[in-house]
Every structure is written in C-alpha cells, then in structure tokens.
Amino acid sequence: MDVNADFDYLKTMADTTDKKAIVVDLMTAYGDKVWNYAFSLTRKREQADDITQEVFLKVYRSLFTFRGESSIKTWLFTITRNTVHNYRRTAFFRKVTLVHYVDHNNTHRSAENEVMENIEISNIWQKVLQLPVKYREVLILFGHDQLSMQEISQVLGINEGTVKSRLHNARLKLLKLKGVEQIGSQLD
C-alpha cells in the first residue's frame, strides 16, 4: 500500500464505519508486525504484548490525526518505538534474551533442515540482539520489516545519512561477532 492509498483508506473507513472497526482492521493487518518490532526492542514477550496493546489504544485515540505523510506501517512503527521508549523509563523494564519465532509460510521441509535453519536463524538473532539498540533497530527495520531508508529515518527521527551509517556499522559489528565466534570454536 502506498502512502496515498493508506490515507485514502483511512478517509474512506472514517466515512463508512466507526473507529473500532478501523482499528480492528489495522490490528489484523499490522498486529504481528507491531508485536514483532516491540519484541525485538524489548526482548520480552509480556512487554511486547503490553506495548502492542498500548500502541493500538493510542491508534484508537488518535486515529484521525494520521496525516498521510508516511505509510500506515511507518506511523505504527513510530508509535511502537515511542511506546517502547516510554515503557523503558518505567521501573518494570528489564533486559532478557530472545525466544525465537519464525513463520515458515506452511512449507514442508525435512525435520533436519528445519532444525538446522532454526538454529542458524536463532544464532543470527542472538548476534543481532547483542548489538546496541541504535544498530539493532536499523537492522530489524531494514532487514526484517523491509522499510526503506526514508521510512526508517521517519520512524527513528534521524536523517537518512545516519540510517545508512548505522546500518553499515551494524553489519560490520555483526561480522565481527561472527568472526569472534568462529575463532572461539576453532580454539575448542
């Protein structure tokens, strides 16, 4: 969906139905993406659940303030990021490890291939989660959520050059982490 289609969609929905129906539709379309983004930032399922619920409450309260200057997805991710930062300021925030979730799109593979793929993906995510938040965010938004540099810039509130720089540095840090792991396994 392009930005104009998003804005037109909300205007059409506003004329024909109530806010509750629009939010339910947005939750159906973007709920998993918002939860995954919240989870990638907090690394705790319960916090991701709370944050996702809070995001859609905020969307409900301010639904018609969406101006169409970005995509709905970018708007939702910005709300999610801000909600996570507010949540971190509370006494309840604690760092924990990632429990990996992968959607395999109902494809059938051998059990061995699936286990090996899950191990590799889990190892990659563990390395991503070792990165500082500023690098982790750009990697997740770019690689997992497939946002453009401009959309990432809007979500994070930084310029595109900074996004490109952080993405480059994040990739270098991941390579370094992988290299350290390979050297350690050779010493064993």
Side-chain angles (χ1 to χ4, degrees):
M1 229 188 257
D2 70 18
V3 174
N4 291 332
D6 284 342
F7 189 64
D8 292 342
Y9 164 77
L10 284 179
K11 279 187 150 290
T12 302
M13 292 300 288
D15 294 337
T16 60
T17 62
D18 64 332
K19 285 170 51 171
K20 199 181 296 186
I22 297 169
V23 173
V24 168
D25 200 27
L26 290 173
M27 287 174 66
T28 302
Y30 298 102
D32 288 343
K33 292 180 186 313
V34 167
W35 188 91
N36 286 332
Y37 184 47
F39 182 73
S40 70
L41 296 175
T42 63
R43 296 185 255 175
K44 190 163 185 174
R45 289 179 182 275
E46 296 82 17
Q47 288 177 356
D49 290 343
D50 292 346
I51 288 165
T52 301
Q53 183 176 10
E54 182 65 26
V55 165
F56 285 105
L57 285 172
K58 288 178 180 181
V59 167
Y60 179 80
R61 287 186 210 116
S62 62
L63 185 62
F64 301 120
T65 63
F66 178 73
R67 296 182 304 263
E69 295 172 357
S70 64
S71 69
I72 289 177
K73 185 176 179 180
T74 302
W75 182 58
L76 289 171
F77 280 1
T78 302
I79 294 170
T80 304
R81 182 174 187 265
N82 292 338
T83 303
V84 167
H85 287 294
N86 290 338
Y87 197 86
R88 283 183 174 162
R89 291 182 194 127
T90 68
F92 300 109
F93 181 77
R94 294 182 198 116
K95 292 183 180 180
V96 295
T97 60
L98 171 71
V99 177
H100 184 263
Y101 169 77
V102 178
D103 180 13
H104 293 290
N105 298 325
N106 298 324
T107 58
H108 299 292
R109 296 182 310 276
S110 73
E112 182 180 337
N113 286 342
E114 191 169 328
V115 168
M116 293 305 290
E117 182 179 313
N118 285 344
I119 289 170
E120 181 61 28
I121 291 171
S122 182
N123 287 338
I124 292 169
W125 277 112
Q126 286 175 2
K127 285 177 187 54
V128 168
L129 290 174
Q130 290 175 16
L131 297 174
V133 172
K134 69 181 186 179
Y135 298 126
R136 189 170 61 226
E137 281 182 321
V138 294
L139 274 177
I140 291 167
L141 291 172
F142 183 76
H144 183 267
D145 297 309
Q146 299 179 350
L147 295 183
S148 69
M149 295 291 175
Q150 181 181 12
E151 289 173 321
I152 296 170
S153 171
Q154 291 172 347
V155 169
L156 301 180
I158 57 178
N159 66 46
E160 285 184 57
T162 304
V163 171
K164 290 176 186 177
S165 174
R166 285 185 184 178
L167 189 57
H168 174 74
N169 289 329
R171 289 174 175 155
L172 290 176
K173 289 184 180 293
L174 275 179
L175 287 173
K176 185 176 180 181
L177 285 172
K178 187 172 181 173
V180 167
E181 180 184 272
Q182 287 175 345
I183 291 170
S185 66
Q186 290 173 355
L187 295 176
D188 290 339

